Structures are given as structure tokens and as C-alpha cells.
Amino acid sequence: MDDESIITRARWARRGALGILTVIALIAVIGLPLYVFPAVPAPPQADLIYVIGPPTATRIADAESLRDQGIADRVLVSVPRSGNDSAEKLSYCWRSYVTCRTPDPFTTRGEAALLSAYASGGDTVVVLTYTPHVLRTRYIFDTCAKAAVTVVPVDERLNLTRWVYNYAYQTAAFVKAGFVGCADPPADALP
């Protein structure tokens, strides 16, 4: 191999690396308003506050804060069937104004269906989730839930790895949501 072909290959390698970095930077910039800084409306007066899974301490604290502000008196929490966050083990579920239920399926689509069992078309609901999930949650709940929904992000800290994962996951899940449709409300979920 002569010196000129080595130099040519090195140039192509640099251009390829620069192209890949440019695509990554472009994806990151496009995703900023979608996943990092979604539009956040002020929570309206509502009939219900809905914490969608998992019921992290931050989401529960935000639900309590909204309740203390008088946004709504009732709280619905999406919980898994088993484990530390299940209705049986999560002490927050024992409060008189809190209802904890497991959606079927245990997905955002299932959570929208569960909400339809609790809220009518005239109800307003504040839904709490983490920031990268806001846009897809709005789409699914606007499409599948009967109630008027305002999705509010909670401030859950994510490291760079989690942000990269969420960019990929939320994008793929958003595309899937466009094809899958809505789930049926569970018959046994009624309050």
C-alpha cells in the first residue's frame, strides 16, 4: 500500500466519522423539543390525578403536591401486579383518596384503557409521567382515553445512557403506537 492510498483511506475514515457524529448531533437536536423539553401546560383543575407506571417516589410526591394545591382530590395510580410497587405493598395505595390498579396490558396503551374505566368524556385528568415519555403519552391518551387529559412531566433525573436509551425507545414505541391502536378498558377496573 502506498502513502497516497493510506492518506485517502484516512480521509474517508475521518469523513465517515464526521458524518456519523453529524447524524447523532442532528438526532439529538431534533429530539430536544420532543423528549427533553416538551411543552408543559399548567395543570388545570381536574377531576383526577393519574400517576402512570412505574409509581416512583417522584411521581407520587408530585401527585401529592398537585393534590395539596387543590388540582384534584382523587388520585389513580398504575401499579404492577406484584413486587414492591404493587397495590399490596405500596403504602401510598392505602390512602382513602388513592386508587391503585394494574392496567392490562401494563403499558401506556393499557393505562389509557384503564383511565377510560375511571373517567368519562366530560372529566379532566392530569397524567404524571417522566419527561421523555410525555409526547407519546399525550398521543396515546388523546387517541384512546375518554377524558380530557393534560400530561405533566415529573423531574426524574436521567443520566446520559438513560437519555440515549429513551430517545431510541420512545421513538420506536411512538411508531408502534401509530399501528397498534387502543386497548379495551378492563371490565373489572371500575371503581
Side-chain angles (χ1 to χ4, degrees):
M1 214 186 287
D2 63 3
D3 288 344
E4 191 170 319
S5 67
I6 292 172
I7 292 170
T8 302
R9 286 184 181 194
R11 285 182 185 148
W12 280 108
R14 278 194 303 271
R15 287 179 185 157
L18 182 59
I20 290 169
L21 290 174
T22 301
V23 168
I24 290 170
L26 184 60
I27 290 169
V29 169
I30 290 170
L32 286 174
L34 303 175
Y35 304 126
V36 182
F37 303 111
V40 180
Q45 281 298 122
D47 298 296
L48 181 69
I49 298 166
Y50 187 15
V51 177
I52 62 173
T56 64
T58 305
R59 293 177 202 193
I60 289 171
D62 281 10
E64 278 300 292
S65 175
L66 290 174
R67 187 175 182 278
D68 291 345
Q69 294 170 40
I71 297 296
D73 292 329
R74 298 181 307 132
V75 179
L76 174 62
V77 182
S78 172
V79 295
R81 290 195 196 293
S82 60
N84 290 335
D85 290 334
S86 67
E88 183 178 280
K89 294 193 177 175
L90 187 65
S91 63
Y92 187 67
C93 293
W94 305 339
R95 297 181 183 191
S96 62
Y97 56 88
V98 176
T99 302
C100 292
R101 292 288 184 267
T102 302
D104 184 28
F106 192 61
T107 63
T108 308
R109 189 171 67 96
E111 289 167 328
L114 181 64
L115 178 60
S116 291
Y118 281 86
S120 69
D123 289 341
T124 58
V125 179
V126 174
V127 176
L128 298 176
T129 190
Y130 70 119
T131 304
H133 191 221
V134 166
L135 183 67
R136 186 166 61 91
T137 300
R138 284 182 184 148
Y139 172 76
I140 292 171
F141 277 72
D142 285 349
T143 303
C144 300
K146 294 180 204 170
V149 172
T150 300
V151 181
V152 177
V154 298
D155 187 20
E156 293 179 339
R157 302 288 180 205
L158 301 175
N159 61 32
L160 181 60
T161 303
R162 294 290 297 161
W163 277 112
V164 170
Y165 169 79
N166 272 287
Y167 264 64
Y169 179 84
Q170 296 300 335
T171 300
F174 199 101
V175 170
K176 177 185 171 188
F179 290 103
V180 173
C182 301
D184 293 328
D188 63 345
L190 296 174

